[in-house]
Amino acid sequence: MKFSRFLYKIGFLSILAINILSTSCQKKSNFVNTLHNNVLYNAHSESSSLSYSHKSTLNITAMDTFMTIQSYGDKKDAEIANQKAKEEILKIEKLLSVTDIESEIFRINHHQNEWQNVTQTTWEVLLEAKQMAQLTHGSFNPCLYPILSAWGFTTGSFSIPENDTIQYLLHFTDFEKIEFKDSYKIFIPHNMMIDLGGIAKGFTGDRIIQILKENGIESALLDFGGNIQTLGTKPDGTKWNIGIKNPLTGEVAAGIKVENMAVITSGGYERFFTASDGKKYIHIIDSKTGFPVDNEITSVTILSSSGTYADALSTALFVMGTEKAFCFWKEHRDFEMLIFTKDKRVFVTKGIEKNVAFIDKSFEVYWWK
């Protein structure tokens, strides 16, 4: 990166304007580094004025994740809505699990070179996965299951695969070869296997939000691990306050105020192993190399009205790296993001400037615009 600087003062605030040069998008892209942020609030606070609206809480473990749904409204409506949400989560998990021998994804993976009839749900999520792979030029790729298995991320038996093994498996990761027919039929070629783990929770969150709406719920919070989705505002009319982790410590680094929004994070700080060579390998795989991603990023948080879109993008932009992620945002501008890096910088798109507060002051904050 090459930087050009100018300094000016407004009261006590000094702002550093920096230009990033990139060959893959507009040559000069401005962002602002704010060293001090005086706005602080509790990222997990909940107003005491919620007493007029019943809160129904549902906890469920599914998709290898402890999930919580908080629905607000009439007591009976909220409890019925949560029960229907639970049924939908379990239904989707049953369809999309890569290990359940009765799931549709398992059947597709073990009947290669054959057209398979599937439900509309499986057809839709797999189609969305292919479209996100196309949009991100493979940075998000639903066809990496054999490579993840070779590294041990699906079994827990971690090891560094032989390079010849990786190169061989890369031949079977071409998402363009997934085919679709009307009447919900899907085809994958020999040796290809599908894994929708990078998009399934976002897709499920979107479905749950729709179910809650259909059952009269106007205010809800979904917590699916690293996936947060909100319906409306809090019952008192204020925005939800969502905490974003410092990926280096696990403590809250920032808080974001949102409504009707998915806030989804991908990072390498929870699923990784340290190999005999002393190096840490994370579960996010670069589909171009077959190796775990090893770049400057520690976590990517995406904000979007679509959980499906945010879920896939959080992985894709992590794989891309900071500059390519910025170029992707410049091109599309239909989401917002925060990127934390190993050298304690955080890059934030300008659209959420009024709604984000940095609690951890050890990071340098750069605003992309």
Side-chain angles (χ1 to χ4, degrees), residues 1 3 18 20 31-33 296-297 299-301 322-323 325-326 336-350 352 358 363-368:
M1 294 185 184
F3 301 96
I18 303 172
I20 295 181
F31 63 89
V32 178
N33 171 15
E296 74 283 3
I297 293 178
S299 74
V300 174
T301 297
T322 307
E323 287 200 52
F326 173 72
E336 304 294 341
M337 67 178 171
L338 300 90
I339 296 179
F340 287 83
T341 63
K342 294 173 182 175
D343 59 358
K344 303 208 74 173
R345 293 182 295 169
V346 56
F347 298 87
V348 193
T349 52
K350 197 72 170 177
I352 54 175
F358 287 93
F363 286 88
E364 291 186 78
V365 182
Y366 294 79
W367 298 100
W368 274 337

Side-chain angles (χ1 to χ4, degrees), residues 75-268:
K75 180 178 180 180
K76 183 177 179 181
D77 288 346
E79 290 178 353
I80 290 174
N82 277 4
Q83 183 59 35
K84 290 184 177 180
K86 177 181 178 179
E87 292 170 1
E88 184 71 6
I89 290 170
L90 295 176
K91 172 188 169 184
I92 295 174
E93 179 184 39
K94 189 69 175 176
L95 293 172
L96 304 185
S97 171
V98 76
T99 56
D100 185 342
I101 61 173
E102 296 182 357
S103 80
E104 293 189 338
I105 292 300
F106 190 93
R107 175 159 50 85
I108 292 169
N109 284 344
H110 291 83
H111 291 83
Q112 301 151 352
N113 274 344
E114 300 176 21
W115 284 98
Q116 294 296 312
N117 291 307
V118 297
T119 59
Q120 182 178 349
T121 295
T122 300
W123 196 88
E124 286 180 355
V125 68
L126 189 49
L127 181 60
E128 294 226 39
K130 180 175 178 178
Q131 290 171 341
M132 288 305 300
Q134 291 170 328
L135 183 68
T136 62
H137 303 289
S139 292
F140 171 81
N141 190 332
C143 305
L144 297 179
Y145 186 74
I147 292 179
L148 284 164
S149 296
W151 283 93
F153 287 109
T154 62
T155 63
S157 299
F158 302 112
S159 63
I160 303 174
E162 295 291 335
N163 189 60
D164 288 348
T165 299
I166 293 175
Q167 296 308 311
Y168 173 75
L169 293 176
L170 283 173
H171 288 101
F172 311 109
T173 61
D174 185 359
F175 53 85
E176 294 289 2
K177 293 182 179 178
I178 306 171
E179 297 184 51
F180 298 82
K181 277 185 180 178
D182 292 339
S183 303
Y184 309 123
K185 294 182 179 180
I186 293 173
F187 175 94
I188 62 172
H190 184 61
N191 285 337
M192 179 177 283
M193 297 185 80
I194 302 298
D195 178 7
L196 296 172
I199 199 171
K201 285 193 292 182
F203 178 88
T204 303
D206 288 340
R207 282 290 184 90
I208 298 311
I209 292 292
Q210 187 59 39
I211 285 173
L212 296 180
K213 287 180 179 179
E214 291 170 354
N215 286 273
I217 303 302
E218 298 179 354
S219 176
L221 175 70
L222 314 184
D223 184 347
F224 293 179
N227 292 35
I228 304 294
Q229 290 189 240
T230 63
L231 170 58
T233 63
K234 292 192 286 188
D236 64 357
T238 62
K239 293 183 178 182
W240 301 97
N241 299 323
I242 308 301
I244 306 298
K245 281 184 180 180
N246 176 341
L248 302 176
T249 66
E251 301 297 322
V252 175
I256 303 178
K257 296 181 179 181
V258 299
E259 60 181 295
N260 288 317
M261 192 68 62
V263 183
I264 296 181
T265 300
S266 286

